[in-house]
Amino acid sequence: MARHYRAAGWRVYACHRQASAELERIADDNLSLHALDVAEPEQMARLADSLSGLPLDVLFNNAGVYGPSVDGFGSLDAEGLLDTLRVNTVAPLLLAQALLPNLHAGALKTIATLTSRMGSIGDNGSGGHYPYRASKAGLNAALRSLSIDLRPHDIKVLILHPGWVRTDMGGAHGTLSVEQSAAQLFRHVASAQMRDSGRFIDIDGSKLPW
Ligand SMILES: NC(=O)c1ccc[n+]([C@@H]2O[C@H](COP(=O)([O-])OP(=O)(O)OC[C@H]3O[C@@H](n4cnc5c(N)ncnc54)[C@H](OP(=O)(O)O)[C@@H]3O)[C@@H](O)[C@H]2O)c1
């Protein structure tokens, strides 16, 4: 996503726990790197301080975890569940709260968040995946509320499923490359209207069931 925004001429503030070699390679005067573990609220506060007064057009929430690899009923543990919720559900909401003044000052006023179809309750026909499914369903509920609360301020809240993507999380059998998914996500964000705010949208633009 950072590469796409940079290529389109945007000023990018890229957050990372540990910058990848590629992110470091593309960093320049218009793509700055900012340390942020989204599970650490004090780091969020520090980021918000360092960006204080800067208008932001789009907050793009990408960070996510699948959660513990052993996640079947009978093997669940509180820490695994809570760590997954902290990153997938709590962090995007707190980050939006921390950077709200920047979004108010921006022109496009957009919060775009990667959720997952696996968080759809209506689409869940196969069960399992408790931490991940619950964390993304919770995220969807929170973002829907946020879309309603921020509508009077003209801030759009986009709830986006990126498709099944060949990343570390998606694995080698995903149907989309990172490039394909990122290009489509970039187009969704660029063309989003207020009527798209608070909808749960698939990568092809269709509406997903909650
Ligand atoms: N791939 C898919 O098919 C798919 C499908 C549906 C939804 N999604 C969603 O798309 C988003 C991106 O997933 P992905 O496939 O790219 O997963 P990934 O390959 O596992 O990458 C996850 C990214 O999130 C970052 N991250 C995790 N915990 C973090 C934390 N506490 N603080 C800061 N960054 C953190 C990771 O940083 P590090 O490099 O430091 O670990 C990594 O850059 C996630 O929200 C995921 O749920 C993916």
Side-chain angles (χ1 to χ4, degrees):
M1 291 313 303
R3 194 159 14 91
H4 268 272
Y5 276 97
R6 208 34 224 109
W10 284 56
R11 170 69 172 90
V12 176
Y13 302 86
C15 299
H16 61 86
R17 280 194 293 196
Q18 204 165 23
S20 64
E22 189 188 359
L23 197 52
E24 285 190 335
R25 188 179 56 75
I26 64 173
D28 61 18
D29 287 349
N30 285 311
L31 195 157
S32 50
L33 304 185
H34 304 263
L36 176 66
D37 183 329
V38 299
E40 302 291 340
E42 352 35 278
Q43 292 191 23
M44 262 182 222
R46 228 174 293 142
L47 175 75
D49 273 354
S50 71
L51 300 181
S52 173
L54 280 174
L56 286 182
D57 284 329
V58 176
L59 163 62
F60 199 100
N61 285 310
N62 168 71
V65 290
Y66 173 74
S69 52
V70 178
D71 62 0
F73 190 72
S75 312
L76 298 172
D77 72 276
E79 278 317 302
L81 278 159
L82 291 170
D83 286 347
T84 312
L85 290 168
R86 199 167 283 123
V87 173
N88 291 357
T89 318
V90 176
L93 200 55
L94 289 186
L95 204 51
Q97 186 172 265
L99 298 178
L100 194 60
N102 307 77
L103 288 158
H104 274 303
L108 294 184
K109 302 188 196 305
T110 301
I111 299 169
T113 300
L114 293 192
T115 179
S116 172
R117 187 175 187 151
M118 286 181 74
S120 167
I121 295 170
D123 189 55
N124 182 356
S126 56
H129 309 280
Y130 290 87
Y132 191 68
R133 283 196 194 280
S135 68
K136 294 293 192 179
L139 172 66
N140 291 350
L143 293 175
R144 174 72 183 188
S145 271
L146 193 63
S147 73
I148 294 167
D149 292 348
L150 295 184
R151 191 171 288 266
H153 303 281
D154 280 335
I155 296 178
K156 297 187 277 290
V157 176
L158 306 180
I159 309 169
L160 303 166
H161 170 61
W164 183 18
V165 192
R166 294 189 291 277
T167 60
D168 286 348
M169 188 190 292
H173 301 296
T175 52
L176 296 175
S177 66
V178 168
E179 192 58 36
Q180 289 168 320
S181 176
Q184 189 59 27
L185 290 167
F186 180 84
R187 281 193 287 272
H188 282 321
V189 176
S191 64
Q193 304 292 316
M194 196 40 101
R195 64 174 176 273
D196 301 312
S197 185
R199 288 188 177 165
F200 182 15
I201 297 172
D202 204 346
I203 190 69
D204 64 3
S206 60
K207 240 171 105 177
L208 284 164
W210 296 110

